[in-house]
Amino acid sequence: MKLSRRELLATFLGAPFALAACRDMSAGARFPDGEIVGQNATLGHVLREGRSFEVPADNWRSAKAVIVGGGIAGLSAAWKLSKLNFNDYALLELEKEIGGTSRSGIGSPVNYPWGAHYLPVPFQENAELIELLDEMALTDGRAANGDVVIREQYLCREPEERVFYKGRWYEGLYLNAGASDEDKQQFGQFQQTIDRWIDWRDTSGKRAFVVPSHQCSQDSQVTDLDKISFAEWLRNLGFTSERLVWYCDYACRDDYGLRLEQTSAWAGLFYFCSRVRKSGDESQPFITVPEGNGRFVNYFSERVGDKILRSHMVVSIVPNEKGVDVVCLADNELRGFHCEKVIYASPMFTAPYVIRGFNNDAPFAANEFQHNAWFVANLFLNDRPKPRFAKDFPLAWDNVFYESPSLGYVNATHQKGIDYGPAVWTYYYPMCHEENGRTKLFNYDWRELADVCLTDVARAHPNIYELCDRVDIMRWGHAMISPRPNFIWSETRARAQKPYRNIHFAHTDLSGIALFEEAFYHGVRAAKELQTAQI
């Protein structure tokens, strides 16, 4: 059923705002060009058809290992295998472009992200990730205490964040302007509670929350937090301030694509605690470049590009006595690999559709790995909007709308210090585990989603239609794993990390949270497992 414009905007942005937007938009407003780019949803659905596949005899080749999936986990596994001199492998990627949600686009005046756009500076204990940063020449030695020092040009420049509320821009993400004494008191108490969790250690000295998450304590005081939602945790402690609740809800939408009441309390606290060394410290600064985490994807491609086979859709993985047979569809023909080991670096929910015999003796409940949908839009501007008020906080890297269900936009041009003229803004909208959200998202065409994006941005920048020449949109049907209550510390997640019939799983799903560091950890872990098995 075709929705009216008002119904469309009400679905995404809320009825009151939709009514005002439809009334305010002039009929003659210029609408930019653009298109839907990226993922081909129809390819993945081939897996659900349960076909049988016969590979011609001449289309088989042998390899010691095959990596299935070219996101950060798969690329990290390839990087590590090559460093271990384990070179007889191939990486098969469904799409034309590698990188998953860390991929980026090429444009002017800068390149831009299509998803993940930063990496917090890792603690010194995360040695292998720091090794990668050293290789990429992003570091500038070590501080006296051993912490890695990142070159200044790669650290997010100021101003970093601002929030738009009732017609004005304010500094930061927490809305201090107009806060009542009760708001301020609750925010202070919340920070004290977070500080206690930052400093908490179990009997073996482990932190409650740290990146990567496999280093987190499994003490029941910590794991029991996974049994309730973050919303319930806040209510239990008497945190009811509307501004504080919004702040925590934004955190959940930003990192997990979920609302406060949908998110595990463990995951909510992980967001605030895991990247702070000790109470009183600032959170670790962000490493970022215009193309976001596409910089890492491009580096991996440079290092292992000869092993990557794009547009190779794996349709069948068949464990056998000699190892594993992998069948893929490429250039409209079936091709196969006889290999000893497989690193399965694709979302866990796909495993039963690809791995033959999986459901006969399922090693884990793949349907427990639930994902949510997003859409991302890149807006190509011919100029920047002028500030509406002299005292408005200026354009920042991250620009958030307090009264919108979207996450606002990131200014891809920010890091280059280009503060005037053309720009690229990357707009993020999480579907927040909405019922049928994925189906709903793919039922809308480019014009409808572009209208949602531009209407939302116009709340702060009314002249966006004159400034925006183009809007390209990418729909992520399975953007990230959902850390809902009772999943993070479930038996399902633990079991999925164990090898199954010469298949080693490596994906950020296995951490229950979709972060670069988690994907990197699992890719490196799986690569080392293969190396160990070979010795």
Side-chain angles (χ1 to χ4, degrees):
M1 181 180 69
K2 185 73 172 178
L3 298 180
S4 69
R5 181 169 186 265
R6 180 180 297 178
E7 290 170 331
L8 172 73
L9 297 181
T11 296
F12 280 89
L13 303 175
F17 180 73
L19 179 63
C22 289
R23 183 175 61 244
D24 293 345
M25 182 180 176
S26 62
R30 182 179 74 101
F31 205 88
D33 295 326
E35 62 181 333
I36 296 283
V37 301
Q39 286 188 312
N40 186 339
T42 60
L43 288 178
H45 291 166
V46 171
L47 301 178
R48 298 180 181 269
E49 297 173 4
R51 302 181 191 176
S52 59
F53 302 96
E54 293 293 333
V55 180
D58 292 342
N59 283 5
W60 284 97
R61 57 178 275 197
S62 296
K64 281 191 174 180
V66 164
I67 301 170
V68 179
I72 293 300
L75 292 169
S76 299
W79 171 78
K80 188 62 177 180
L81 285 177
S82 292
K83 289 181 70 68
L84 293 169
N85 292 318
F86 187 121
N87 294 309
D88 187 11
Y89 71 89
L91 187 155
L92 310 181
E93 166 55 34
L94 165 71
E95 300 284 347
K96 295 178 182 178
E97 302 295 333
I98 58 172
T101 54
S102 288
R103 63 198 289 184
S104 59
I106 298 173
S108 178
V110 294
N111 297 338
Y112 48 88
W114 275 119
H117 52 278
Y118 65 89
L119 172 69
V121 175
F123 291 153
Q124 60 182 267
E125 292 83 357
N126 199 345
E128 283 177 306
L129 182 52
I130 291 174
E131 180 184 359
L132 172 65
L133 302 182
D134 284 337
E135 275 190 27
M136 295 176 65
L138 301 180
T139 62
D140 194 17
R142 304 292 186 268
N145 65 357
D147 285 343
V148 64
V149 177
I150 301 298
R151 294 180 185 273
E152 186 176 357
Q153 65 265 39
Y154 301 117
L155 292 174
C156 187
R157 63 187 283 260
E158 296 291 342
E160 191 171 304
E161 299 160 331
R162 64 175 182 169
V163 60
F164 185 78
Y165 177 70
K166 294 190 181 302
R168 301 293 298 271
W169 285 105
Y170 299 95
E171 181 179 7
L173 287 180
Y174 180 81
L175 185 63
N176 285 293
S180 67
D181 290 342
E182 178 66 18
D183 289 328
K184 295 174 184 177
Q185 182 180 9
Q186 287 197 27
F187 186 67
Q189 292 171 343
F190 175 77
Q191 293 286 26
Q192 291 173 9
T193 304
I194 294 300
D195 282 345
R196 286 195 291 272
W197 275 115
I198 289 169
D199 291 339
W200 185 96
R201 299 293 185 273
D202 66 14
T203 55
S204 63
K206 283 191 171 185
R207 293 173 56 114
F209 307 100
V210 68
V211 180
S213 61
H214 81 100
Q215 297 174 350
C216 293
S217 171
Q218 296 187 35
D219 187 283
S220 61
Q221 290 185 65
V222 179
T223 59
D224 282 353
L225 292 165
D226 189 44
K227 297 177 180 178
I228 61 173
S229 72
F230 198 25
E232 184 178 351
W233 181 85
L234 288 168
R235 288 194 298 269
N236 289 346
L237 293 180
F239 293 128
T240 57
S241 163
E242 184 268 340
R243 291 166 186 247
L244 176 58
V245 169
W246 178 91
Y247 180 57
C248 293
D249 184 72
Y250 170 82
C252 295
R253 289 185 287 125
D254 183 37
D255 255 27
Y256 309 130
L258 296 176
R259 302 304 302 260
L260 195 65
E261 60 273 12
Q262 299 168 323
T263 305
S264 160
W266 184 94
L269 288 167
F270 182 91
Y271 176 95
F272 288 102
C273 301
S274 62
R275 291 158 171 160
V276 183
R277 172 63 76 180
K278 63 181 186 297
S279 61
D281 283 3
E282 294 286 339
S283 183
Q284 292 292 93
F286 293 146
I287 301 170
T288 189
V289 292
E291 67 269 31
N293 289 2
R295 173 67 64 95
F296 297 99
V297 174
N298 294 337
Y299 179 77
F300 285 136
S301 180
E302 291 170 5
R303 291 297 306 273
V304 301
D306 60 324
K307 306 293 185 182
I308 298 171
L309 298 174
R310 295 169 170 82
S311 299
H312 278 59
M313 181 175 70
V314 173
V315 294
S316 181
I317 298 174
V318 186
N320 55 54
E321 293 180 359
K322 296 181 180 179
V324 189
D325 287 343
V326 178
V327 179
C328 60
L329 184 63
D331 297 326
N332 294 317
E333 67 175 11
L334 290 171
R335 301 175 186 176
F337 292 79
H338 298 303
C339 56
E340 297 175 11
K341 299 281 186 178
V342 163
I343 294 178
Y344 195 82
S346 293
M348 293 300 105
F349 79 90
T350 64
Y353 301 104
V354 182
I355 301 172
R356 294 299 171 254
F358 184 96
N359 288 327
N360 296 336
D361 183 23
F364 57 87
N367 62 348
E368 288 295 308
F369 289 86
Q370 299 177 11
H371 294 70
N372 51 68
W374 292 56
F375 84 83
V376 179
N378 271 295
L379 288 69
F380 301 87
L381 309 185
N382 54 53
D383 201 357
R384 317 292 172 88
K386 300 293 188 295
R388 298 171 70 184
F389 300 97
K391 292 186 177 180
D392 267 359
F393 195 75
L395 182 65
W397 174 61
D398 194 8
N399 305 268
V400 177
F401 306 135
Y402 187 95
E403 297 159 299
S404 170
S406 77
L407 297 177
Y409 62 89
V410 167
N411 176 17
T413 327
H414 179 79
Q415 195 62 15
K416 284 292 188 181
I418 306 172
D419 294 328
Y420 302 94
V424 183
W425 289 359
T426 308
Y427 171 91
Y428 296 86
Y429 190 104
M431 300 299 286
C432 290
H433 215 56
E434 181 181 343
E435 185 177 359
N436 299 318
R438 188 174 301 108
T439 301
K440 182 182 296 184
L441 178 61
F442 280 85
N443 281 341
Y444 296 120
D445 61 23
W446 168 82
R447 172 79 187 214
E448 291 168 322
L449 294 177
D451 195 9
V452 169
C453 167
L454 291 168
T455 302
D456 196 16
V457 173
R459 71 173 74 228
H461 309 293
N463 60 338
I464 191 65
Y465 293 92
E466 290 74 41
L467 297 174
C468 184
D469 291 332
R470 184 176 182 86
V471 180
D472 286 339
I473 292 173
M474 188 175 292
R475 297 173 295 189
W476 295 101
H478 303 276
M480 57 173 59
I481 189 69
S482 300
R484 65 196 191 283
N486 296 306
F487 176 70
I488 294 290
W489 292 106
S490 67
E491 182 64 22
T492 292
R493 193 177 67 85
R495 291 177 64 185
Q497 297 186 46
K498 299 175 182 178
Y500 169 72
R501 301 184 66 188
N502 293 316
I503 300 170
H504 297 249
F505 297 98
H507 196 272
T508 189
D509 282 7
L510 298 174
S511 292
I513 44 180
L515 300 177
F516 179 97
E517 302 98 308
E518 302 296 334
F520 177 82
Y521 163 75
H522 287 293
V524 169
R525 170 191 55 76
K528 291 193 291 188
E529 288 175 359
L530 262 62
Q531 174 71 357
T532 300
Q534 183 180 247
I535 295 173

